[in-house]
Amino acid sequence: MADAPVNVLSICGSLRKNSFNAALQRTLPSLAPPGLSIKSAPAWADMPIYNADIQAAGFPAPVTAWADAIRAADGVIIVSPEYNWTIPGGLKNAIDWTSRMKDDPFKGRLVALQSCAGGLLGGSRMQYHLRQSLTAVESVIMIRPEVFVTFSAKKFDEKTLELTDQPTKDMVKVQLEAFEKFVRHHKG
Ligand SMILES: Cc1cc2nc3c(=O)[nH]c(=O)nc-3n(C[C@H](O)[C@H](O)[C@H](O)COP(=O)(O)O)c2cc1C
């Protein structure tokens, strides 16, 4: 009998309508191997800025929905831009919120990272900072293969935002194949 598919949740660190990272996130299912099923996480745009006083009154609904979706997944792929050499504040805020839950959804969660950025480094500084924060919440991060989409405006169609760059598609495919194996290995 064939193995059951690995269920992965994708999270995008940009809220921008024409986001390249969101465009890459939308492309992932078409680049995934047959054993990997990828669906997008619920929106985190409405999460308030973390405040222990708000937490004391109960976790906000968008935080709970996000956490439930992460818990239900075998693994998580975070696709995010880099803001000022680090993690976009909104994404970090979302991770801060879930880290205060008794059952932190990121604890022990298998995670892969991808980034699209305008420049030469492709969001690498963001990824290394994100690894640090995810290590703090005890996620299990796949170190390699890495996916950095540099000069992203050149890799996507200007009008449709379709990913057109074949080497980028190949790089993402290689990571997704590796992530399926990584998740199966860790899940036994
Ligand atoms: C607040 C802000 C800070 C940025 N800082 C960086 C940066 O440090 N490094 C980088 O490569 N690009 C930086 N950029 C450019 C982003 O890489 C570029 O706008 C990218 O397209 C954003 O991702 P998105 O298209 O998914 O929204 C920054 C953009 C914004 C809005």
Side-chain angles (χ1 to χ4, degrees), residues 12-23 79-86 116-126 152-153:
C12 180
S14 172
L15 299 174
R16 197 168 72 89
K17 186 159 55 77
N18 290 331
S19 157
F20 294 118
N21 285 278
V79 190
S80 178
E82 173 176 295
Y83 284 175
N84 298 312
W85 294 14
T86 189
C116 298
L120 178 66
L121 298 181
S124 51
R125 290 165 294 206
M126 178 284 302
S152 25

Side-chain angles (χ1 to χ4, degrees), residues 92-109:
K92 177 63 164 50
N93 180 58
I95 294 169
D96 290 341
W97 264 115
T98 49
S99 74
R100 305 316 290 170
M101 295 179 138
K102 273 202 188 76
D103 180 14
D104 180 354
F106 278 108
K107 183 170 179 172
R109 193 71 47 203

Side-chain angles (χ1 to χ4, degrees), residues 32-76:
L36 197 70
S37 161
I38 304 177
K39 68 170 196 179
S40 300
W44 51 262
D46 293 332
M47 288 185 199
I49 293 175
Y50 178 78
N51 178 334
D53 297 336
I54 299 176
Q55 182 194 333
F59 283 95
V63 176
T64 307
W66 206 62
D68 287 346
I70 295 167
R71 283 191 201 103
D74 297 315
V76 169

Side-chain angles (χ1 to χ4, degrees), residues 134-156:
L134 292 171
T135 301
V137 296
E138 299 180 64
S139 294
V140 181
I141 302 151
M142 186 173 79
I143 305 296
R144 287 198 179 88
E146 297 176 298
V147 169
F148 303 118
V149 182
T150 59
F151 303 113
S152 25
K154 294 183 180 164
K155 312 288 169 65
F156 294 84

